Amino acid sequence: MNPVIIVIVVTVIHKGWSTALSMWWKYEGFAGPDRWGEFWSMCRDGKQQSPININPEELLYDPNLKHLEINPEHNINVNGILENTENDITFRLDDIAEQQMNITQGPLSYVYRITELKLHYGSEDSIGSEHHIGGRSFPAELQIMGYNADLYRNFTEAMSGNKGLAIISVLIDIGDEINRAFDVFKRKFNSISQLRSQTKIHAFSIKGLLPPVETNYITYEGSLTQPGCQETATWIIYNKPVYFAQQQLLDLRAIVNQNWFHSNARRTMPLNQRVVRTNINFRKKSRLCTMEREMRYQVNSLFQK
Ligand SMILES: *[C@@H]1O[C@H](CO)[C@@H](O)[C@H](O)[C@H]1NC(C)=O
Ligand SMILES: *[C@@H]1O[C@H](CO)[C@@H](O)[C@H](O)[C@H]1NC(C)=O
């Protein structure tokens, strides 16, 4: 019998089916990403999977892409729960109206409500982020997940629905200064040293973990990077990293009971004809890769008829 099946059967006896399914997958070893497809077929058969490697030479400049908006415009501090899920560190916002934060505009046609943040990182600086830029990975990646609040009632429902999710990706690099927002998490790391342990977080600033509002971004249609790999996510990747002090990354790596040794990043997936768009205007560069010319052509041909 296949070792994955044995683990599932044993876990089911102890914990019930849905907990078993959500717990068996890992980032390394016999339950690693190459086996996810045995239970979640999209992880194996999907053609629009995430993460991807972003090749700066192949970005398409789209002049229709507006700036991303995160409302309210002013900074608010939110409360929630920080959890050691064993596969990552997840922060879940409390579900109350006073701390509602929405992602809109940019490439999005709907309003997406932020519900959780996930941290992906590695055992050393050269690995950790899920998305790669020009073949390079960053020491960590923060993913801010929102669900489509116009069409769905909650994250779970939106996860499998058309245009269900928007995920903002912030690549983390090492800088000289301490990131104050992240320090609010860091002070609680001691409380999440047990498997699946949780702790309350007060007054956390999501905007403190974002680059400046006017920062450009890259966007494409992809999937969740964990099982079931549903292809319902519009990804928005900021064009500038956010900096953590080296010590902050060391503190993150020191959290015990994470079920991986190297990193909790899924490997990058094939692009398969998808377009990766950006609002970075490369006009001044010699290798112009833009939709502008083609759009003008379309407009002209309509008017000339
Ligand atoms: C977020 O979006 C919802 C639904 O569209 C809306 O009711 C709410 O007022 C928005 N909140 C903010 C802070 O913009
Ligand atoms: C999400 O919404 C669905 C449909 O209304 C409901 O059945 C489910 O319990 C909700 N899940 C959560 C986690 O609230």
Side-chain angles (χ1 to χ4, degrees), residues 25-28 32-37 42-46 48-54 120-121 127-132 135 137 141 143 220 223-227 229 235 262-272 274:
W25 64 270
K26 307 265 181 280
Y27 280 100
E28 287 155 4
D34 293 341
R35 307 297 289 271
W36 295 355
M42 280 311 267
C43 301
R44 179 190 53 215
D45 302 334
Q48 305 206 328
Q49 290 288 294
S50 296
I52 57 168
N53 173 41
I54 291 158
H120 293 264
Y121 55 102
I127 48 175
S129 71
E130 297 214 284
H131 286 90
H132 293 195
S137 66
E141 177 172 341
Q143 296 174 355
Y220 76 99
S223 72
L224 286 165
T225 60
Q226 296 180 333
C229 308
W235 282 86
H262 299 287
S263 85
N264 64 348
R266 186 188 192 193
R267 71 181 160 84
T268 58
M269 305 302 286
L271 199 54
N272 294 329
R274 277 175 290 176

Side-chain angles (χ1 to χ4, degrees), residues 75 77 82 89-91 117-121 139-143 170 172-173 177-189 192 201-210 242-255:
N75 195 14
N77 289 330
L82 192 69
I89 304 297
T90 298
F91 172 68
L117 275 57
K118 277 184 182 287
L119 277 163
H120 293 264
Y121 55 102
E141 177 172 341
L142 170 77
Q143 296 174 355
V170 182
I172 310 292
D173 214 341
E177 311 228 329
I178 287 180
N179 180 298
R180 304 250 161 248
F182 182 71
D183 249 27
V184 172
F185 283 171
K186 203 215 80 172
R187 283 195 287 273
K188 295 286 193 155
F189 284 170
I192 52 166
I201 296 280
H202 295 286
F204 172 72
S205 161
I206 292 182
K207 290 201 171 175
L209 278 181
L210 298 179
V242 161
Y243 295 93
F244 284 8
Q246 179 79 60
Q247 187 58 45
Q248 292 186 301
L249 275 164
L250 295 178
D251 292 336
L252 185 59
R253 287 174 196 151
I255 298 175

Side-chain angles (χ1 to χ4, degrees), residues 15-273:
K15 314 227 176 205
W17 179 245
S18 69
T19 326
L21 263 189
S22 69
M23 283 180 71
W24 79 267
W25 64 270
K26 307 265 181 280
Y27 280 100
E28 287 155 4
F30 67 82
D34 293 341
R35 307 297 289 271
W36 295 355
E38 291 172 23
F39 285 92
W40 296 277
S41 60
M42 280 311 267
C43 301
R44 179 190 53 215
D45 302 334
K47 296 280 189 233
Q48 305 206 328
Q49 290 288 294
S50 296
I52 57 168
N53 173 41
I54 291 158
N55 183 353
E57 303 278 306
E58 287 168 9
L59 295 178
L60 192 68
Y61 170 57
D62 182 349
N64 297 309
L65 287 175
K66 300 192 182 91
H67 277 304
L68 195 65
E69 278 184 26
I70 299 178
N71 290 316
E73 238 169 83
H74 60 273
N75 195 14
I76 57 168
N77 289 330
V78 297
N79 299 338
I81 301 282
L82 192 69
E83 182 181 349
N84 179 346
T85 71
E86 84 185 275
N87 285 318
D88 61 47
I89 304 297
T90 298
F91 172 68
R92 235 168 262 111
L93 275 74
D94 289 345
D95 185 13
I96 49 171
E98 298 77 60
Q99 57 175 37
Q100 198 161 339
M101 291 183 78
N102 293 333
I103 315 170
T104 55
Q105 303 296 325
L108 306 170
S109 311
Y110 298 96
V111 174
Y112 291 78
R113 178 166 178 191
I114 298 177
T115 54
E116 66 182 48
L117 275 57
K118 277 184 182 287
L119 277 163
H120 293 264
Y121 55 102
S123 56
E124 47 187 287
D125 296 348
S126 60
I127 48 175
S129 71
E130 297 214 284
H131 286 90
H132 293 195
I133 310 283
R136 180 195 164 202
S137 66
F138 286 73
E141 177 172 341
L142 170 77
Q143 296 174 355
I144 301 170
M145 328 257 242
Y147 76 89
N148 183 330
D150 290 333
L151 298 185
Y152 305 102
R153 276 164 293 190
N154 57 42
F155 190 89
T156 318
E157 203 184 51
M159 204 160 68
S160 345
N162 193 24
K163 299 285 169 203
L165 307 178
I167 309 179
I168 297 179
S169 159
V170 182
L171 295 164
I172 310 292
D173 214 341
I174 297 167
D176 298 329
E177 311 228 329
I178 287 180
N179 180 298
R180 304 250 161 248
F182 182 71
D183 249 27
V184 172
F185 283 171
K186 203 215 80 172
R187 283 195 287 273
K188 295 286 193 155
F189 284 170
N190 283 340
S191 318
I192 52 166
S193 56
Q194 302 297 315
L195 266 189
R196 306 226 142 217
S197 54
Q198 305 184 334
T199 187
K200 285 210 163 106
I201 296 280
H202 295 286
F204 172 72
S205 161
I206 292 182
K207 290 201 171 175
L209 278 181
L210 298 179
V213 270
E214 69 281 3
T215 302
N216 289 321
Y217 60 83
I218 293 154
T219 181
Y220 76 99
E221 297 300 315
S223 72
L224 286 165
T225 60
Q226 296 180 333
C229 308
Q230 294 93 332
E231 293 180 340
T232 53
T234 300
W235 282 86
I236 300 159
I237 299 157
Y238 279 118
N239 184 42
K240 276 191 194 136
V242 161
Y243 295 93
F244 284 8
Q246 179 79 60
Q247 187 58 45
Q248 292 186 301
L249 275 164
L250 295 178
D251 292 336
L252 185 59
R253 287 174 196 151
I255 298 175
V256 291
N257 277 314
Q258 281 285 293
N259 234 318
W260 46 266
F261 292 103
H262 299 287
S263 85
N264 64 348
R266 186 188 192 193
R267 71 181 160 84
T268 58
M269 305 302 286
L271 199 54
N272 294 329
Q273 282 79 40

